[in-house]
Amino acid sequence: MSSTEKKNYLLPIIVMIFLFAMVSFVTNLASPMGDILKNQFNVPNWMGTLGVFANFIAYAVMGYPAGNLLQKLGYKKTALIAIAIGFIGVGIQTLSGTLGSFEVYLLGAFVAGFSMCLLNTVVNPMLNKLGGGGNKGNQLIQVGGSFNSLAGTAVIILTGILIPEGIKNAQISNVFPLMFAALAIFAFAFIVIALTAIPENEKQQQISSVNDKYSPLSFRHFIFGAIGIFVYVGVEVGVPNVLNKWLQNPDLDILQLKGLGSAEAIAGSVTATYWMMMLVGRLLGAAIGSKVSAKSMLIVASVVGLILTLAAMFAPTNIMVNLPVFKNDANGLFGLANVPINAALLVFVGLCTSVMWGGIFNLAVEGLGKYTEKASGIFMVMVCGGGILPLLQNGIVDMTGGIGYLTSYWVIVVGLAYLLYYALVGCKNVNKDIPVK
């Protein structure tokens, strides 16, 4: 790819990075929206998590077809379809605010989940392609991943700014500005991608080996890795989701806010700080990624995550610490919040979850050869864990009468223990006899 060609792709590269950010923006909007829905419609915790569930369960439906669609239609057409579906999904969620309908919002979250799945499938390889592959392509993906984390942080902060009085009295209509911004970005991205020539892979060997008796599922380490992705996404989403609800819990009377705003505002700030830790972790991971193996990184992240989570579960909730957070008050957007030490420990789990996806993916597809593309489609299906594990956690909270927020983190402990097992034992390729060329 010549320098002229690279210059011509500057605008679509920027747009794809924005779309990378949109994946996190739209996905992470589901958590604060769940809290708004919970209070607006007076539903239990598990029902307030249904928006997150609907968003992620779409991956289970669309994950595998998304890979086939990309292979059949190419980057440009798949990206345009994904953007159009995203516009429709966010549009339905916006409409739910006008109608005041919980059911319409869930439909919009499900449709938006289709879009996020397609975008996840196309954005990574498309950025790699636009960058010319190799180190430049990988660098673009790392930049996109950083913007992805930044958007996840921003959506929580912006929700707090739009609802300074707290989520308890908020309506879906309060976050219309965020939805209108998402719609505008989707519309702009559609126009730019439609008018830009995108380099496509040559269509070769489209005919699959019908008689091939093997598949990615023939590899034990891949099966364990696919389960690992299911668990990982559930852990990544579940930690901040339940943390946010716990800090808003009116029974948590030891939360000394000291004039820093409502419990809802502080809860949102703490949750945003978790996503900021994800950003910091990804930047650190990118910096040391060439020197540390995926296996070693996953082992360390799992062990530290386990220690932090267990410490958070068993530490006394009346021990308070000052945690640097994003906030919205007269003194500015950044400051200290006096929160239980449990919350601070859970925030730092974000440093661990930030580097897990790449480690699991690399270990799971190692040695798969020609089966790697189909393996990626299966990975997209398993992202649905991000909807199922948080739902399970919130179900535990409801079953304990709303006092088992920290108890629900046993789900996270089991998940992290599995990821440690995968890094130590499960990632070994014991099927090297299968031909992959």
Side-chain angles (χ1 to χ4, degrees):
M1 188 182 288
S2 69
S3 59
T4 305
E5 286 178 308
K6 283 185 181 178
K7 189 175 181 180
N8 290 339
Y9 291 132
L10 178 61
L11 186 56
I13 284 173
I14 293 173
V15 170
M16 293 312 294
I17 288 174
F18 267 102
L19 287 178
F20 211 147
M22 286 300 294
V23 172
S24 182
F25 190 90
V26 174
T27 300
N28 286 346
L29 182 58
S31 283
M33 281 297 295
D35 296 328
I36 293 172
L37 293 167
K38 173 188 168 186
N39 292 293
Q40 181 175 344
F41 297 104
N42 194 27
V43 296
N45 281 292
W46 74 270
M47 287 189 71
T49 315
L50 284 178
V52 178
F53 177 79
N55 197 283
F56 278 101
I57 206 66
Y59 282 82
V61 179
M62 195 64 195
Y64 200 70
N68 292 333
L69 194 67
L70 177 61
Q71 191 176 34
K72 184 177 180 181
L73 299 181
Y75 295 121
K76 182 172 181 175
K77 290 181 179 178
T78 305
L80 290 175
I81 291 171
I83 295 166
I85 294 174
F87 187 91
I88 293 169
V90 175
I92 293 173
Q93 292 178 63
T94 306
L95 180 63
S96 73
T98 303
L99 298 176
S101 170
F102 183 66
E103 292 77 11
V104 172
Y105 173 76
L106 292 181
L107 174 62
F110 185 67
V111 174
F114 272 15
S115 172
M116 298 308 102
C117 178
L118 280 169
L119 284 177
N120 261 316
T121 304
V122 72
V123 167
N124 285 282
M126 192 171 179
L127 272 177
N128 186 56
K129 189 76 174 177
L130 290 170
N135 291 337
K136 286 289 185 182
N138 182 57
Q139 186 179 39
L140 278 180
I141 292 175
Q142 295 300 332
V143 172
S146 298
F147 272 84
N148 181 274
S149 295
L150 190 59
T153 306
V155 71
I156 308 296
I157 297 171
L158 291 172
T159 303
I161 292 173
L162 291 170
I163 316 173
E165 72 281 3
I167 281 176
K168 279 187 179 177
N169 300 315
Q171 305 284 313
I172 298 174
S173 55
N174 288 116
V175 292
F176 273 179
L178 296 182
M179 294 183 171
F180 291 149
L183 290 171
I185 293 173
F186 277 135
F188 177 71
F190 187 93
I191 293 170
V192 171
I193 297 297
L195 297 178
T196 304
I198 303 296
E200 302 280 358
N201 287 329
E202 290 182 17
K203 300 206 172 182
Q204 54 184 1
Q205 293 184 344
Q206 279 281 56
I207 307 170
S208 329
S209 319
V210 179
N211 297 323
D212 194 342
K213 62 180 180 179
Y214 299 111
S215 75
L217 297 178
S218 302
F219 297 82
R220 191 193 74 169
H221 74 291
F222 172 75
I223 294 175
F224 288 167
I227 296 171
I229 286 294
F230 176 91
V231 169
Y232 158 71
V233 182
V235 168
E236 178 197 288
V237 177
V239 170
N241 182 279
V242 175
L243 173 61
N244 193 36
K245 290 180 173 62
W246 178 56
L247 291 179
Q248 293 176 41
N249 180 16
D251 294 331
L252 190 66
D253 55 3
I254 47 80
L255 187 60
Q256 306 295 323
L257 300 178
K258 294 186 179 178
L260 290 176
S262 67
E264 292 87 352
I266 296 301
S269 300
V270 172
T271 306
T273 306
Y274 169 89
W275 292 108
M276 179 53 72
M277 289 298 100
M278 288 275 293
L279 171 61
V280 172
R282 282 180 173 172
L283 292 174
L284 289 173
I288 65 173
S290 60
K291 301 169 186 172
V292 180
S293 70
K295 180 173 182 175
S296 297
M297 196 176 291
L298 185 57
I299 289 173
V300 172
S302 300
V303 169
V304 175
L306 271 169
I307 293 171
L308 289 171
T309 305
L310 287 168
M313 291 173 65
F314 292 103
T317 56
N318 59 352
I319 298 178
M320 309 297 288
V321 295
N322 282 324
L323 181 70
V325 299
F326 295 92
K327 60 187 182 68
N328 181 36
D329 65 14
N331 298 318
L333 201 62
F334 187 80
L336 296 174
N338 202 29
V339 298
I341 191 172
N342 321 68
L345 291 167
L346 290 171
V347 161
F348 285 106
V349 174
L351 285 172
C352 304
T353 55
S354 63
V355 297
M356 287 181 171
W357 172 281
I360 298 168
F361 185 88
N362 288 341
L363 291 172
V365 301
E366 187 176 347
L368 261 60
K370 65 180 179 180
Y371 301 107
T372 301
E373 284 189 3
K374 285 190 175 181
S376 297
I378 296 173
F379 267 137
M380 284 298 103
V381 173
M382 302 307 286
V383 170
C384 68
I388 295 173
L389 266 62
L391 190 67
L392 176 59
Q393 272 191 271
N394 282 277
I396 292 172
V397 172
D398 289 330
M399 285 189 293
T400 57
I403 61 171
Y405 288 95
L406 293 177
T407 302
S408 75
Y409 279 89
W410 279 116
V411 174
I412 303 300
V413 169
V414 172
L416 290 171
Y418 175 81
L419 294 178
L420 178 59
Y421 161 78
Y422 180 67
L424 291 171
V425 180
C427 67
K428 184 179 180 182
N429 184 359
V430 297
N431 302 106
K432 293 182 178 180
D433 56 322
I434 297 177
V436 296
K437 292 183 180 180

